[in-house]
Amino acid sequence: MDSALALEIEQVSRQKALEEEALRGESAVRQFYAGTTALITGGTGFIGKQLIEKLLRSCDVKRIYILIRSKKGLSMEERLQLQFKDPVYDNLRSQQPDFARKVIPVEGDISELGVGLNDEDRMKLAQEANVIFHVAATTRFEEPLKKATFINVRGTREIMELAKCCKNLRSFVHVSTAFFNATKSRINHTIEEKFYESPVPPEVMIQLAETVEECRLNAITADLIRDWPNTYCFTKAIAEDVVRTMGKALPVAIVRPPVVACTLNEPTPGWLDMSSVIGPSGILLTAGLGVTHVVLIGDITIALAPVDYVNNTVLATAWETDKRFKTNEKESKIYNISNSRCTLEKNLLCDVLHHPNTKQYATPKAVWYCYGFETGSDVVFWLSTWLLHYIPAYVADFVFNVTSMKRPEGIKSFVKMYEKIYKMSLLYGYFLRNQWNFVDDNTVAMLNQMSKTDRILFNFDISKIDWPRYMLIWCIGLRKFIVKDGLKDSEYGMKKQRWLKIAHISFYTLFFGVVFSLLYLACRIFMSVI
């Protein structure tokens, strides 16, 4: 059996044994969801897809409403049916072939006033929704401020207005980000599980977005966001103030995930989709293909969590919020998923590439020898990018252009590919070179009060994760769901790496030989002139 497939099967067997044992016990979380109707915004995103799957597989919900819009010529029904073909639903489909009947699309747009709902749908949701998961957001760091405000700030206000109309609302969970206050002035400081002062009053920001022309708003964005690194973090910070002010009489809670990566266990190890292949996942993908060889990262502890652990936190939070609200604890609570227990250290790329077991999981689709190093220096990163990325890219493009050789699948230009990688590295470099310390007392307390059964079925104990093993699962997840090599021919992948290593050494031996020869010739000419 292929080594990558064997690792996947072993991880599935471990989780299955635990869940079978846990199902014999009582689950307060499952009882909370039994017969409930949930509304999810952002259900077509990375987190939302797995949240839907978990609700349907592990919680006996009555139905799930998904706020969704027509897009790219596809109706909302067509988009939903296309989504259900995602591998994340494969296990669910085998257990519940008709699971889709419980999921009802509702035409809407989180960026529109009233979230784009018609009166009939709005009334239906107000009558039926018991639990609301507000996951929708634009996570693009370079999103224009107007659009980011409409989606992240005004969208939150509008969904909170809908929550106020719900007759039988038991819980509202707003999914924020641990980096909402990752400002320059708070680097190396503690981020607590509390509300912070909004950078701009929400209504002021919304009014600016609604009344000021986009070109003018873009011109003053840098002055507006000031201490914040991008419009995403800035608008998510304002959105939390919307929840604080509008949620005072509602059963409301906020969950702040860190960097969200592939699943560890549920529904299958290593699952992720293309929308999540940014940041660390993008680094691992391109490194595993032999494309990326240098990473811009500092001497920090990376805040990271598997998406199934994030959604288990979200589901448990809704349960605890309902329980707290019933006992007259009306204050909104915040749950950080924190790097105090999520300790993936600095050498992210090197640890994977040089892990003794990594080579046996090499993909046969690698385009070059997999090696790399990390640096926190802008100068070293720039020089290394030219030496290890751009120069080989120009050579490769030239060879492919003048010969009939077939380019690797999906790569039209190596130079343009490296331009995108360099840009992504600079965007994420701020978060990969700076440290914030996230307090997670509320999250730990919630975990500790859960029953043994619930701690297995809705596990989010990041402190128990075997990180070296998770990194390997992450690698095979990228192979299976992104590279799509079928988790086969790993032995050939290992042999291919040995040949590519020889090619790599030969290329740079020839390259430096030519460079030094030219330098020597230039020096001789210079000396002869003087």
Side-chain angles (χ1 to χ4, degrees):
M1 182 183 294
D2 190 274
S3 56
L5 186 59
L7 176 62
E8 180 189 42
I9 291 172
E10 182 187 351
Q11 188 66 21
V12 169
S13 299
R14 286 186 182 187
Q15 182 64 17
K16 187 177 180 181
L18 285 172
E19 289 186 357
E20 286 177 351
E21 180 185 349
L23 285 171
R24 302 188 193 104
E26 291 291 324
S27 169
V29 178
R30 291 184 72 190
Q31 289 172 7
F32 164 72
Y33 285 104
T36 60
T37 296
L39 167 64
I40 300 178
T41 71
T44 58
F46 177 50
I47 294 175
K49 287 178 184 177
Q50 202 270 336
L51 177 60
I52 293 168
E53 192 278 339
K54 176 71 174 183
L55 272 170
L56 292 170
R57 178 171 47 85
S58 298
C59 308
D60 188 21
V61 293
K62 183 179 180 180
R63 66 175 59 91
I64 301 173
Y65 286 108
I66 307 296
L67 188 71
I68 189 170
R69 60 192 172 94
S70 302
K71 187 178 180 181
K72 295 181 179 178
L74 296 175
S75 68
M76 62 176 185
E77 292 87 359
E78 289 171 332
R79 286 188 66 199
L80 194 58
Q81 289 307 310
L82 187 63
Q83 175 172 318
F84 287 153
K85 293 179 182 178
D86 191 291
V88 74
Y89 300 105
D90 286 351
N91 289 350
L92 177 63
R93 188 176 295 105
S94 65
Q95 298 169 19
Q96 304 174 35
D98 61 343
F99 74 89
R101 67 179 175 81
K102 285 189 174 183
V103 184
I104 302 172
V106 179
E107 184 84 45
D109 186 339
I110 199 67
S111 68
E112 299 293 334
L113 289 171
V115 295
L117 290 171
N118 61 41
D119 291 341
E120 182 183 347
D121 286 338
R122 189 176 188 83
M123 186 177 298
K124 179 169 59 178
L125 292 174
Q127 291 291 336
E128 297 184 27
N130 307 124
V131 182
I132 298 176
F133 299 104
H134 180 39
V135 186
T138 173
T139 58
R140 287 187 64 240
F141 292 169
E142 293 184 300
E143 195 74 84
L145 186 55
K146 182 185 282 285
K147 185 175 180 180
T149 299
F150 285 159
I151 296 174
N152 294 347
V153 183
R154 192 175 71 178
T156 301
R157 183 191 70 181
E158 297 302 292
I159 204 70
M160 289 293 295
E161 288 288 1
L162 176 61
K164 286 183 176 182
C165 299
C166 292
K167 308 297 182 185
N168 300 296
L169 185 68
R170 299 177 64 185
S171 193
F172 180 104
V173 180
H174 171 71
V175 178
S176 183
T177 172
F179 300 101
F180 80 110
N181 249 347
T183 58
K184 297 160 192 158
S185 61
R186 289 191 177 93
I187 292 173
N188 295 323
H189 285 66
T190 296
I191 305 295
E192 300 179 43
E193 292 171 304
K194 68 176 187 179
F195 288 103
Y196 285 77
E197 183 180 354
S198 178
V200 176
E203 288 304 323
V204 172
M205 191 64 244
I206 292 170
Q207 187 176 17
L208 275 173
E210 290 176 337
T211 59
V212 177
E213 292 180 1
E214 185 162 13
C215 59
R216 292 183 60 193
L217 197 57
N218 290 342
I220 62 172
T221 292
D223 291 331
L224 274 174
I225 68 175
R226 299 184 305 277
D227 207 18
W228 274 259
N230 52 55
T231 58
Y232 168 63
C233 294
F234 178 72
T235 52
K236 290 297 277 186
I238 301 173
E240 286 206 5
D241 201 49
V242 173
V243 176
R244 179 187 67 81
T245 55
M246 296 184 67
K248 290 179 179 178
L250 296 173
V252 169
I254 293 176
V255 174
R256 294 175 182 155
V259 175
V260 184
C262 73
T263 59
L264 174 57
N265 296 308
E266 302 178 78
T268 187
W271 174 80
L272 70 173
D273 66 4
M274 279 302 299
S275 70
S276 65
V277 185
I278 52 177
S281 286
I283 291 170
L284 283 183
L285 174 64
T286 52
L289 290 172
V291 172
T292 293
H293 307 296
V294 57
V295 179
L296 186 62
I297 188 170
D299 188 12
I300 65 165
T301 299
I302 299 175
L304 180 76
V307 66
D308 47 337
Y309 278 53
V310 170
N311 279 326
N312 285 341
T313 308
V314 169
L315 292 168
T317 297
W319 159 73
E320 186 179 63
T321 300
D322 173 66
K323 188 173 66 170
R324 290 177 58 252
F325 205 74
K326 285 178 178 175
T327 57
N328 244 7
E329 293 182 50
K330 301 290 177 76
E331 185 179 352
S332 300
K333 213 166 184 178
I334 296 171
Y335 301 84
N336 287 343
I337 303 175
S338 154
N339 67 340
S340 68
R341 300 180 297 134
C342 170
T343 52
L344 188 63
E345 299 294 341
K346 171 196 171 186
N347 296 313
L348 170 71
L349 177 59
C350 292
D351 283 351
V352 176
L353 293 182
H354 303 305
H355 191 283
N357 294 327
T358 300
K359 294 300 180 186
Q360 65 179 302
Y361 303 114
T363 176
K365 291 191 176 183
V367 298
W368 196 246
Y369 177 56
C370 299
Y371 72 97
F373 73 97
E374 296 162 335
T375 179
S377 166
D378 287 321
V379 174
V380 172
F381 180 68
W382 182 82
L383 289 172
S384 301
T385 296
W386 268 100
L387 180 62
L388 303 179
H389 291 174
Y390 281 135
I391 291 174
Y394 279 109
V395 173
D397 279 344
F398 174 77
V399 170
F400 281 110
N401 287 337
V402 299
T403 66
S404 58
M405 291 175 62
K406 185 179 179 181
R407 289 179 179 270
E409 186 179 350
I411 300 177
K412 294 181 179 179
S413 166
F414 283 95
V415 172
K416 289 183 178 179
M417 177 187 68
Y418 279 120
E419 286 173 350
K420 291 179 181 178
I421 291 173
Y422 185 74
K423 184 179 179 181
M424 182 188 75
S425 298
L426 294 181
L427 284 174
Y428 281 87
Y430 176 80
F431 300 97
L432 296 177
R433 287 192 291 175
N434 295 308
Q435 185 78 66
W436 298 269
N437 303 307
F438 306 104
V439 173
D440 62 350
D441 293 343
N442 290 342
T443 308
V444 173
M446 177 170 65
L447 178 69
N448 290 338
Q449 69 164 307
M450 291 167 65
S451 67
K452 181 181 178 181
T453 296
D454 280 331
R455 285 201 300 271
I456 293 173
L457 295 178
F458 300 91
N459 181 22
F460 54 90
D461 190 354
I462 291 177
S463 66
K464 300 289 178 63
I465 292 177
D466 179 346
W467 287 105
R469 184 180 179 84
Y470 176 68
M471 296 299 292
L472 294 178
I473 290 170
W474 199 350
C475 290
I476 67 168
L478 287 164
R479 282 186 56 183
K480 181 176 181 178
F481 300 107
I482 306 301
V483 179
K484 299 182 180 179
D485 64 12
L487 294 186
K488 59 184 180 181
D489 296 330
S490 295
E491 188 174 346
Y492 168 70
M494 292 171 62
K495 291 178 182 178
K496 186 176 181 180
Q497 281 298 302
R498 289 195 286 269
W499 285 107
L500 288 173
K501 183 177 182 179
I502 294 172
H504 167 73
I505 293 171
S506 301
F507 172 81
Y508 277 100
T509 300
L510 178 63
F511 171 75
F512 284 116
V514 171
V515 169
F516 284 127
S517 296
L518 291 174
L519 287 174
Y520 177 74
L521 181 61
C523 288
R524 289 288 301 270
I525 294 173
F526 177 75
M527 293 299 294
S528 64
V529 170
I530 62 173

